[in-house]
Amino acid sequence: MAAAASINTAARTAKDTSRTAFEPARLIKAAICVAVTVAIYVVPAPDGLEPQAMHMLAIFLGTILGLILQPLPTAAVAIIGLTAAMLTGTMDPKTAAFSGLGSASIWLIVAAFFIAQGFVKTGLGRRVALVFISLLGKSTLGISYGLSAADLLLAPATPSNTARLGGILFPIITSISDVQKSTPESDESRRRIGAYLAVTANNVNAITSAMFVTSMAAGPVVVQLAADSNVTIGWGTWALAGIVPGVLSLLIIPALVYKVYPPTIKHVPSAQSDARDELKQLGRLSMREWIMAATFVVMLVLWATGSMTGINATTVAFLGVAVLLATGIISWQDMAANKSAWSTLIFFGVLVGMATPLNELGVTEWAGEMIADATSGMPWMAVLALLTVCYFLMHYMFAAELAQAVALYTLFLGVAVAAGAPPVASALMLGCATGLIGAMTHYASGPAALIYGAGYLKTPEFLKIGFLCGIVTVAIWLTVGMGWWKIIGLW
């Protein structure tokens, strides 16, 4: 019955989409995307770039514009962009075109959706949500700070920020939202509490990713890239540098989002007592809850010890999914019906595949060299600030923090040091910025794609809040952070 209902719902959705696909507003948005793509596509390639590079840039920017304007659903826009790249010969369908769909990071996101299903189906997620509400449920803001504290506590020991948000915190968020009858089904419902908690958790995750070497996959890569440039960054140095601007950001961002994007449920006077009463009624954990909890703990331990065991974070996630399947906690029917997971796989996988050639064809290096020329002769503090802001803004061209670090980190670090900026402070600033960029768009990182795919936020909302929070956190790192780094002797 559930499967039939899901199919009927999908059919109605498809019918509604087809009925509105040719609305004037959608046609205008589509025309803008096509016009921008064609305009850039026909522009002669500047010195240093091949025509194919300009063609790839045109199609990528046109696709990104489509994701922003939304003439069609996100996954549909991504598929159309990929098709254009293949038809024009810009991407080879046998090699580059579908490479992003094979990314381990993207499949980690998909697995996180299935793990969240396990939390919901067993009732363990609801139980955990009730515990949070019983402790902090007087206000939505209080719950948000509780989740932020949990993220900070887990960050040093969870090298995958996607695993941390998707596998650990996301199920709690969805369960809390479900308890408060807040789902993505309607604007009124999602804005009750779910949308606020989701977008706040996404931006908090970017902050904690910036605070420790081991809180994101790109951290160790940044350390290695800095070492290749003769700059040594230790784990303790990064953690000490990140603690003050990081904690300040964690205090500011939930309140800032609460101000600009408030939930409709702000105070629930009876929430704590109701939660305690329901916990008493639930009684002891069921066998299914114990299995889910044990699976989760094992996954958390394996994620935390990945650097020692050599087990990839995606492997750990799929181990968890396999256990849940084998024990009947979730079924293949549950997984097949998870539209958010498969939609995220398509749109994020396609974007990662499209972003990679921009680096391989030299587009990112060309843009970086332009920035280096523009900063020549400026004071080092101004150069470092400008480079950091540019590094942040250039992430609109990337679909993962790691991809940007590999493409731009060494170049930007070299420009900063050449301008007279202290090497360690420069390396740390760009390294921390690699974490901060993870929430600015719905394709900026694995956690961002997961939160967007859950359906609580509309595209304009996601982009607006991501940009605002990103600018605020970058400003904190450039002011308070640099001041703190002066005190501890990093420059």
Side-chain angles (χ1 to χ4, degrees), residues 59 79-94 97-98:
I59 295 171
I79 289 173
I80 292 171
L82 178 64
T83 303
M86 291 189 292
L87 281 174
T88 58
T90 307
M91 296 183 75
D92 186 346
K94 295 181 180 180
F98 299 100

Side-chain angles (χ1 to χ4, degrees), residues 205-268:
N205 184 261
I207 295 168
T208 57
S209 296
M211 293 176 68
F212 307 96
V213 173
T214 50
S215 57
M216 62 173 173
V221 175
V222 164
V223 170
Q224 183 59 54
L225 292 173
D228 293 342
S229 299
N230 298 315
V231 182
T232 301
I233 307 175
W235 192 96
T237 301
W238 190 317
L240 181 61
I243 195 68
V244 169
V247 169
L248 179 60
S249 297
L250 291 175
L251 292 173
I252 290 175
I253 291 303
L256 175 64
V257 178
Y258 190 84
K259 180 72 174 178
V260 301
Y261 190 70
T264 56
I265 295 179
K266 296 182 174 63
H267 300 284
V268 189

Side-chain angles (χ1 to χ4, degrees), residues 40-52:
I40 300 174
Y41 192 94
V42 299
V43 170
D47 293 338
L49 287 183
E50 297 294 328
Q52 184 184 359

Side-chain angles (χ1 to χ4, degrees), residues 47-50 53 356-369:
D47 293 338
L49 287 183
E50 297 294 328
T356 300
L358 291 177
N359 181 37
E360 295 175 346
L361 294 170
V363 175
T364 51
E365 183 179 356
W366 167 74
E369 289 174 351

Side-chain angles (χ1 to χ4, degrees), residues 112 151 158 160-171 173 198 201-203 205 447-448 450-451:
D151 195 327
T158 316
S160 170
N161 53 6
T162 304
R164 186 166 69 252
L165 180 56
I168 302 171
L169 298 175
F170 179 65
I173 292 170
N202 182 49
N203 284 279
N205 184 261
L450 183 143
I451 290 296

Side-chain angles (χ1 to χ4, degrees), residues 108-155:
L108 174 58
I109 301 170
V110 175
F113 277 104
F114 301 146
I115 294 164
Q117 282 183 293
F119 273 90
V120 173
K121 284 198 67 178
T122 60
L124 180 62
R126 184 177 182 86
R127 187 186 292 272
V128 173
L130 289 170
V131 171
F132 264 88
I133 293 173
S134 69
L135 296 173
L136 303 164
K138 286 186 178 180
S139 72
T140 302
L141 186 60
I143 295 173
S144 178
Y145 276 116
L147 292 170
S148 300
D151 195 327
L152 177 60
L153 182 66
L154 294 167

